[in-house]
Amino acid sequence: EMQLVESGGGLVQPGRSLRLSCIGSELTFRNYWMHWVRQAPGKGLVWVSRINSDGSLTSYADSVKGRFTISRDNAKSTVYLQMNSLRVEDTGLYYCARGGGSLESWGQGTLVTVSS
Amino acid sequence: EIVMTQAPLSSPVTLGQPASISCRSSESLVHSDGNTYLSWLHQRPGQPPRLLIYLVSTRFSGVPDRFSGSGAGTDFTLRISRVEAEDVGVYYCMQATQLGTFGQGTKVEIK
């Protein structure tokens, strides 16, 4: 099973930017759609964004559209989430997950805290 | 945006007894390709979610057969035939027919 490891989280002020990374352990990384899902402390799961296997198709939740950008580098087995104009409500644990119609494999998450 | 509504939000269960969770979508989850992208996930405290069921009723690799999924269109159900101690945690339904949406989660705990 492909392992996924997220990084790039941290404490950031409102209005600033952060880039998350997620690296996959398998050479077949390039075959899979990838997603970002976030979870605020003590709350439920919220789908954020997805990208298809070659990076040509991307989708976003309304709450992040225009502020977040998902991308991938299959040569590095890595998917990214560029987060701009961060808001307090963007705080949470950000997971990357592999899959198309279902999320089969998840990383451990990276924590993003947006606070002044 | 498709809204997913789960019930109940909390479910105290007795070990060895069955449990079921309902998930209702605000629109039909039948995709134009004919598939229904409704899945169920389980999250234990401090851990990432793990996939249990996909395409409404297909168990993911390694998932015990006490878990089953059913439903169609807008109404779906996850059933646990005999609850075991390791089944505690929060269960989420998720649709991926139109972007992605999760239900609010149902917390399963032992009485």
Side-chain angles (χ1 to χ4, degrees):
Chain A
E1 182 179 317
M2 182 165 66
Q3 302 297 315
L4 298 168
V5 179
E6 303 93 337
S7 62
L11 174 62
V12 62
Q13 293 179 326
R16 304 299 291 264
S17 299
L18 211 55
R19 189 176 84 156
L20 307 183
S21 301
C22 168
I23 186 166
S25 63
E26 290 186 0
L27 294 177
T28 55
F29 176 88
R30 65 180 65 244
N31 297 336
Y32 295 101
W33 287 63
M34 296 295 296
H35 300 246
W36 287 97
V37 174
R38 70 183 178 193
Q39 187 168 35
K43 301 297 184 181
L45 302 171
V46 175
W47 180 82
V48 173
S49 182
R50 71 183 180 193
I51 188 167
N52 70 339
S53 56
D54 67 7
S56 61
L57 292 174
T58 59
S59 302
Y60 302 92
D62 286 346
S63 58
V64 307
K65 197 177 298 181
R67 300 187 299 123
F68 290 12
T69 303
I70 190 171
S71 62
R72 66 191 297 161
D73 183 342
N74 284 338
K76 297 181 178 179
S77 298
T78 301
V79 61
Y80 304 99
L81 187 68
Q82 177 67 42
M83 305 187 295
N84 298 332
S85 303
L86 281 162
R87 304 168 180 169
V88 171
E89 55 265 33
D90 294 321
T91 292
L93 190 60
Y94 282 71
Y95 295 103
C96 70
R98 180 196 91 185
S102 58
L103 303 186
E104 305 168 356
S105 181
W106 295 64
Q108 292 295 315
T110 185
L111 183 62
V112 173
T113 303
V114 185
S115 174
S116 53
Chain B
E1 176 186 326
I2 295 179
V3 177
M4 306 296 287
T5 304
Q6 290 182 224
L9 298 184
S10 179
S11 180
V13 297
T14 301
L15 289 174
Q17 293 299 304
S20 68
I21 300 169
S22 169
C23 177
R24 183 165 293 178
S25 58
S26 59
E27 302 175 31
S28 172
L29 296 186
V30 180
H31 193 274
S32 57
D33 64 8
N35 289 316
T36 300
Y37 294 103
L38 185 282
S39 57
W40 291 93
L41 303 101
H42 176 218
Q43 185 177 34
R44 297 188 180 103
Q47 295 187 15
R50 69 177 183 119
L51 181 65
L52 297 175
I53 302 284
Y54 63 98
L55 294 176
V56 180
S57 59
T58 304
R59 274 189 303 277
F60 188 56
S61 174
V63 174
D65 60 7
R66 64 178 181 275
F67 291 93
S68 64
S70 63
T74 61
D75 288 297
F76 306 93
T77 302
L78 174 71
R79 290 185 176 86
I80 310 173
S81 59
R82 295 173 305 279
V83 172
E84 298 189 4
E86 65 182 19
D87 300 337
V88 299
V90 181
Y91 291 79
Y92 296 92
C93 60
M94 179 199 174
Q95 70 81 20
T97 293
Q98 186 184 114
L99 300 184
T101 320
F102 291 92
Q104 316 98 301
T106 295
K107 186 174 184 178
V108 171
E109 53 192 3
I110 305 301
K111 282 183 184 175

